[in-house]
Amino acid sequence: GQQLNQSPQSMFIQEGEDVSMNCTSSSIFNTWLWYKQDPGEGPVLLIALYKAGELTSNGRLTAQFGITRKDSFLNISASIPSDVGIYFCATPRDGTASKLTFGTGTRLQVTL
Amino acid sequence: DTAVSQTPKYLVTQMGNDKSIKCEQNLGHDTMYWYKQDSKKFLKIMFSYNNKELIINETVPNRFSPKSPDKAHLNLHINSLELGDSAVYFCASSHLGGEQFFGPGTRLTVL
């Protein structure tokens, strides 16, 4: 089945640093979603991408839909302690927007 | 004023027991979901209901039975609990095909 691999698996950074993570697949997709899961909470949608090459920002977060349509990238600038959590990419499966496949996740830790 | 709520937050039970998790959403959505997140944080869809009708049913043991009494509720009943059922179960809701809003999760521990 389709699998979304995220890299890195975990990151330990200092407050103020920029962060980059990516999500790759062997399949082509028309939609890429980025979610964040705070500790003890459910995932929350951060950014949705619908077009190859698209670059979309949400505050300090910027996500890009890869040109090949097989990958996506998420950058966080000037990280702060509340950025701590697990970041997931997700794509609709089988052409059904309701059936999401989630990536393996990138765990972010921010130290002061 | 919580959008998607689940009860209980924590559930600890013995193998072989039957238990239920309840989910309610007040967003006016017509589609609800159950996801399972394992100890490695892999998040996988289990079921989805649209207007009380089952539309997604992944490869999940028959011991798991969702029930949607109305559009705002989707409950998950689990029979004969096994050790491998230990996980965090998330409910979510959306308009059909729209952004999914997740509940806070129910951490199930089977002893």
Side-chain angles (χ1 to χ4, degrees):
Chain A
Q2 83 189 37
Q3 188 163 329
L4 303 179
N5 296 307
Q6 291 187 238
S7 177
Q9 188 174 8
S10 61
M11 304 179 73
F12 291 82
I13 62 168
Q14 286 198 322
E15 184 177 8
E17 289 184 7
D18 297 342
V19 174
S20 290
M21 61 187 79
N22 65 63
C23 181
T24 60
S25 175
S26 57
S27 302
I28 290 174
F29 296 107
N30 294 319
T31 301
W32 286 93
L33 307 171
W34 283 95
Y35 282 82
K36 182 194 176 194
Q37 184 177 16
D38 286 333
E41 300 292 333
V44 174
L45 182 65
L46 297 174
I47 295 177
L49 302 162
Y50 300 106
K51 189 176 175 183
E54 179 182 354
L55 192 69
T56 298
S57 293
N58 179 3
R60 294 177 296 104
L61 276 62
T62 301
Q64 183 162 22
F65 193 137
I67 292 292
T68 65
R69 293 165 59 196
K70 293 183 179 181
D71 54 14
S72 181
F73 310 89
L74 178 69
N75 296 314
I76 305 173
S77 61
S79 58
I80 59 178
S82 62
D83 290 334
V84 165
I86 304 176
Y87 292 80
F88 291 100
C89 60
T91 60
R93 181 153 48 103
D94 302 334
T96 304
S98 296
K99 194 185 286 188
L100 293 182
T101 293
F102 281 81
T104 50
T106 293
R107 187 186 296 267
L108 179 64
Q109 294 279 8
V110 180
T111 58
L112 299 174
Chain B
D1 57 353
T2 304
V4 182
S5 59
Q6 298 179 226
T7 54
K9 177 80 171 170
Y10 299 95
L11 184 54
V12 181
T13 187
Q14 299 282 342
M15 264 196 314
N17 284 349
D18 302 339
K19 289 293 178 185
S20 291
I21 307 172
K22 295 187 176 182
C23 178
E24 176 181 5
Q25 55 95 4
N26 62 5
L27 296 167
H29 290 156
D30 55 9
T31 307
M32 297 185 71
Y33 312 79
W34 277 109
Y35 286 84
K36 179 181 180 181
Q37 186 173 45
D38 64 20
S39 58
K40 294 184 179 178
K41 303 301 182 184
F42 290 134
L43 194 59
K44 192 170 182 182
I45 190 166
M46 301 171 68
F47 301 102
S48 178
Y49 272 70
N50 174 252
N51 286 321
K52 303 195 302 176
E53 297 290 328
L54 182 66
I55 60 170
I56 296 174
N57 186 354
E58 293 296 277
T59 307
V60 177
N62 290 338
R63 300 180 295 102
F64 290 78
S65 54
K67 282 189 172 51
S68 182
D70 55 58
K71 286 197 301 183
H73 296 85
L74 181 61
N75 304 323
L76 184 64
H77 188 75
I78 314 170
N79 289 328
S80 303
L81 279 156
E82 300 177 358
L83 292 177
D85 297 333
S86 295
V88 181
Y89 292 85
F90 287 100
C91 177
S93 74
S94 74
H95 292 298
L96 186 62
E99 177 185 348
Q100 295 183 26
F101 291 80
F102 285 78
T106 295
R107 182 176 292 276
L108 172 64
T109 302
V110 182
L111 304 175

